[in-house]
Amino acid sequence: SLLWLLCVWIRSSWTSFLKSIASFSGDLSSMTAPPFILSPVSLTEFPAYWCEYPDLFAAIADGKTEEHRALAVLRWFISTLKGQYTSRNESMGSEKKPLNPVLGELFYGTWPSTNTTLLVEQVSHHPPITAYRIANQAKGLVLTGHNAQKTSFSAGSIIVKQIGHATLVVDLPSGEKEEYLITLPRLRIDGLWYGSPYIELAETSYIQGSNGWLSTIEYKGKGYFSGKSHTFKAILKPPTSDHKTEVIEGTWHTTSKTSSGMTFHDVSPPKEEVTVKSIEEQTEWESRKLWGAVAKGIREGDFESASREKSRIENEQRQRRKDEAAASTPWQLKHFKHIESDPTYERLGKLFKANPPTEDAYIFLDNAPPA
Ligand code: CLR
């Protein structure tokens, strides 16, 4: 029957997709995936996951002591993980391949409840690198970061090493600045053989405060120390022995507790998704406008027009790069400036022996568009 043929086709295109992953390491974004695994959302939208609980972000500024603020940073960070790593499974049934942003692609948003703003720019296409800035001006909070991925294949899973880091700057009422360096966990994409990929986090990530407080977050999945998926253990270590170490355990997509049994984080309340201008109000470089036709094709199952529109965008980009080369006028970033080594990363990274010891960064040019 027709259904049988369809199943056979899906299996064979999925199998050949898996084979192409297995024989490959590097940049997954450039790989062609079968249509049923395509997401209509561009990677430039992903930094919005950092602030889907804008109150928890804002609460960092209300911490009266270094310890309270370090705990608030950790609580906010853990509370972003569910959105970052499980939300495609929730909204689309499995992890999907996001649209690969073009150089210069932009994504702007706000969280009106707390007057928090988001600005994202695709700062490199090859390899894909996304830079972002999230600010709550009234609270004196700014998160700046960039991310890229290195992928490899191991024991049936895709391993994604996240490259890049984020820094959070807190303007204290005293006029001093407190900084936090945030590193990112390693991802494993499992469930590939069943055609329903999902993410598990692995290894360790860190949050180092300039006040000396250090969070070490260890991630485990099914079959490790608890047997449960999405398990983590965070240890918040004080700079001196005047304070005690906090240990927090739980599953990041639900809740966690401190060692005294108090609830530490709970992501069951509804999240606040980022608010974005309507497509009609967006410029040609803004993600949802730029990918509008492709996204429509994917959403409606019209993969022919999706792939036609995608080729049109990619050809346009290739032509643009050729023209730039011919005129010797390389593409200029709009909101960020690239620096080879980030002094904040080096200074704070030293405190926990960050690996690598130095990383590049993208500095915000302080030119957000008017709201
Ligand atoms: C991007 C930065 C975000 C967290 C995040 C979540 C999901 C990751 C994504 C990052 C990078 C791209 C990614 C994606 C999951 C799947 C996708 C690794 C790290 C790859 C390119 C697509 C693989 C295709 C399979 C679904 C078969 O803060």
Side-chain angles (χ1 to χ4, degrees):
S1 71
L2 216 53
L3 188 60
W4 173 249
L5 273 172
L6 182 67
C7 291
V8 170
W9 173 78
I10 289 178
R11 270 235 69 87
S12 73
S13 79
W14 183 247
T15 310
S16 62
F17 176 59
L18 290 181
K19 280 187 193 140
S20 63
I21 296 177
S23 60
F24 166 97
S25 78
D27 174 7
L28 267 184
S29 60
S30 59
M31 185 138 101
T32 28
F36 58 89
I37 208 75
L38 298 179
S39 151
V41 179
S42 160
L43 260 188
T44 55
E45 296 205 22
F46 282 43
Y49 292 128
W50 285 113
C51 208
E52 291 184 324
Y53 291 99
D55 291 331
L56 291 181
F57 186 61
I60 295 167
D62 300 332
K64 290 283 177 285
T65 63
E66 295 178 344
E67 177 173 14
H68 284 144
R69 289 190 296 273
L71 274 166
V73 173
L74 179 60
R75 178 176 298 115
W76 155 75
F77 174 83
I78 299 292
S79 303
T80 71
L81 301 178
K82 179 187 180 192
Q84 306 256 19
Y85 303 113
T86 70
S87 60
R88 277 83 50 200
N89 291 65
E90 273 175 21
S91 62
M92 303 185 278
S94 80
E95 189 57 61
K96 302 254 166 160
K97 186 175 187 289
L99 297 168
N100 184 22
V102 306
L103 180 60
E105 187 172 326
L106 301 168
F107 185 69
Y108 302 121
T110 56
W111 290 272
S113 66
T114 50
N115 247 316
T116 309
T117 57
L118 167 71
L119 175 155
V120 184
E121 178 173 356
Q122 189 68 14
V123 292
S124 168
H125 178 70
H126 220 78
I129 306 175
T130 310
Y132 55 89
R133 177 180 189 268
I134 293 176
N136 182 330
Q137 211 187 351
K139 293 279 181 182
L141 293 168
V142 179
L143 177 77
T144 313
H146 71 282
N147 55 262
Q149 298 85 37
K150 264 217 174 78
T151 54
S152 55
F153 195 74
S154 156
S157 306
I158 300 173
I159 309 291
V160 181
K161 182 178 178 216
Q162 295 204 67
I163 316 275
H165 60 275
T167 45
L168 173 66
V169 179
V170 187
D171 281 324
L172 299 175
S174 65
E176 278 173 279
K177 277 186 198 307
E178 196 170 72
E179 290 174 304
Y180 293 87
L181 169 64
I182 301 167
T183 71
L184 306 163
R186 195 167 286 220
L187 279 61
R188 226 183 38 234
I189 305 177
D190 287 332
L192 290 171
W193 297 124
Y194 306 102
S196 57
Y198 66 92
I199 291 176
E200 188 54 274
L201 298 182
E203 301 189 17
T204 312
S205 78
Y206 301 90
I207 305 176
Q208 173 71 63
S210 56
N211 51 25
W213 288 81
L214 170 66
S215 289
T216 302
I217 309 147
E218 257 193 313
Y219 306 87
K220 295 276 150 68
K222 240 186 239 143
Y224 288 86
F225 53 52
S226 88
K228 267 193 265 171
S229 40
H230 306 340
T231 300
F232 79 96
K233 177 175 176 179
I235 299 175
L236 179 61
K237 204 170 154 269
T240 64
S241 54
D242 306 346
H243 295 84
K244 74 174 192 27
T245 297
E246 271 288 359
V247 179
I248 292 133
E249 286 182 275
T251 49
W252 45 260
H253 66 307
T254 63
T255 61
S256 62
K257 284 185 160 71
T258 63
S259 41
S260 57
M262 297 240 290
T263 296
F264 179 70
H265 98 290
D266 180 358
V267 278
S268 45
K271 58 185 183 182
E272 180 182 344
E273 274 178 35
V274 70
T275 299
V276 180
K277 277 188 189 164
S278 71
I279 290 187
E280 296 73 58
E281 294 171 286
Q282 293 182 16
T283 66
E284 300 301 320
W285 288 98
E286 284 175 76
S287 193
R288 291 190 189 174
K289 173 117 171 196
L290 199 152
W291 292 105
V294 178
K296 184 167 181 282
I298 294 173
R299 284 209 178 87
E300 294 173 355
D302 182 355
F303 299 114
E304 219 170 280
S305 76
S307 100
R308 193 177 346 104
E309 292 296 329
K310 187 165 164 275
S311 302
R312 183 183 53 75
I313 293 172
E314 286 164 355
N315 291 335
E316 231 171 68
Q317 285 292 311
R318 268 189 283 275
Q319 189 55 48
R320 196 178 276 276
R321 299 288 94 80
K322 274 190 205 145
D323 296 346
E324 286 164 2
S328 324
T329 51
W331 177 260
Q332 301 287 310
L333 300 184
K334 188 179 169 85
H335 293 297
F336 294 94
K337 178 176 156 248
H338 185 226
I339 54 170
E340 283 306 327
S341 70
D342 180 355
T344 309
Y345 182 96
E346 269 160 41
R347 184 162 31 83
L348 298 181
K350 232 181 244 151
L351 303 175
F352 65 98
K353 300 195 178 65
N355 178 27
T358 164
E359 263 193 5
D360 64 345
Y362 292 84
I363 308 285
F364 182 54
L365 294 175
D366 220 351
N367 59 351

